[in-house]
Amino acid sequence: SGAQSKTSDLLVSTIEGAGIEPPSVNELEPKFGRETLTLLRHLERQGLVVQVEDTRFYSPKAVRDLTERLEKAMAGRSEVPPAELREPLGFSRKFLIPFLEYCDRKGLTARQGNGRVWKGR
């Protein structure tokens, strides 16, 4: 509907504006309503957002930027502990671990010992 389209546009704008630390679905629902998760899943199918966690969606640009930072931080290293990736990625553990798990699922990284290794694109 027209209202859903307008809400979807506002959702995308909000997520893009949040950069690398986007709000969760629970944080978005008071402003965008109960259909927020449904709209976000629709936007993901369109490639306008990326679901990194069950309840957190990022802009494709933020995911690309973070992936590039991660690759640079891990270049030439065999195993990198998560604590050493917080600074290069620029966010707290709250966002770090779920993002690393997303990268594991996508095959970009793999858990090994006490850290992660870069697997590549």
Side-chain angles (χ1 to χ4, degrees):
S1 72
Q4 287 174 323
S5 180
K6 183 177 179 180
T7 302
S8 293
D9 291 345
L10 289 171
L11 269 170
V12 169
S13 177
T14 299
I15 289 170
E16 287 174 349
I20 63 169
E21 293 189 353
S24 68
V25 172
N26 290 338
E27 294 167 325
L28 292 167
E29 281 181 338
K31 181 176 181 180
F32 297 104
R34 292 180 301 155
E35 291 186 343
T36 300
L37 183 58
T38 302
L39 291 173
L40 286 167
R41 288 187 174 145
H42 177 74
L43 291 168
E44 183 185 33
R45 286 190 300 274
Q46 293 180 319
L48 298 173
V49 296
V50 177
Q51 186 173 12
V52 170
E53 301 176 56
D54 287 343
T55 62
R56 198 173 307 274
F57 294 75
Y58 287 62
S59 72
K61 181 187 181 314
V63 170
R64 276 191 311 275
D65 291 348
L66 287 166
T67 303
E68 288 171 8
R69 289 185 206 176
L70 183 62
E71 183 177 13
K72 285 179 185 176
M74 297 181 80
R77 300 175 68 186
S78 58
E79 180 183 315
V80 184
E84 292 181 25
L85 296 170
R86 280 180 47 197
E87 187 176 323
L89 292 177
F91 49 40
S92 68
R93 186 171 174 84
K94 171 184 173 181
F95 290 91
L96 175 66
I97 299 302
F99 184 75
L100 292 175
E101 289 171 349
Y102 165 81
C103 291
D104 292 344
R105 288 191 306 275
K106 292 299 180 183
L108 298 172
T109 58
R111 285 188 75 168
Q112 182 176 357
N114 292 324
R116 287 195 164 63
V117 294
W118 181 256
K119 302 294 276 182
R121 297 177 189 264

